[in-house]
Amino acid sequence: MSVLLADIAIDLGEVDHFEFNDIWRILFKDIRNMGGAAWDLKGCCGPEESIFLAFYAGYGLIFFFINSWAVMKPMRLLSVFVHEFGHASACWLTGGKVKKD
């Protein structure tokens, strides 16, 4: 008797009781021998990734400071309304009812 799990053939022989822990052990037995993750990140970021990260950090800082301005309050209210309307629409589409509290 053999079992095919994730394209790995396992010969069970005459085994009549096979537990999940045995499958886990067989499928992932080589993980301990792989040396772990490469946390040194050699060759991680080229110029494009560095530019992206710099712009993303700048966007986050600008958004953080601009969002506190009074001019942005209508935009925040509109975005919250659209977000919550999405929840209500999903509720209606699945046959539910939205309470007005």
Side-chain angles (χ1 to χ4, degrees), residues 72-86:
M72 293 300 291
K73 186 163 185 159
M75 292 302 295
R76 284 194 311 267
L77 291 172
L78 180 64
S79 66
V80 169
F81 171 76
V82 170
H83 175 86
E84 295 303 328
F85 186 75

Side-chain angles (χ1 to χ4, degrees), residues 59-76:
Y59 166 77
L61 287 172
I62 290 170
F63 181 77
F64 178 76
F65 289 112
I66 288 178
N67 197 34
S68 63
W69 294 354
V71 176
M72 293 300 291
K73 186 163 185 159
M75 292 302 295
R76 284 194 311 267

Side-chain angles (χ1 to χ4, degrees), residues 36-101:
W39 291 107
D40 56 359
L41 300 176
K42 289 181 183 173
C44 163
C45 299
E48 294 88 7
E49 290 88 2
S50 298
I51 291 170
F52 170 77
L53 291 173
F55 275 112
Y56 192 70
Y59 166 77
L61 287 172
I62 290 170
F63 181 77
F64 178 76
F65 289 112
I66 288 178
N67 197 34
S68 63
W69 294 354
V71 176
M72 293 300 291
K73 186 163 185 159
M75 292 302 295
R76 284 194 311 267
L77 291 172
L78 180 64
S79 66
V80 169
F81 171 76
V82 170
H83 175 86
E84 295 303 328
F85 186 75
H87 290 293
S89 299
C91 179
W92 292 324
L93 288 172
T94 57
K97 294 182 181 179
V98 177
K99 293 181 183 178
K100 182 180 177 183
D101 286 338

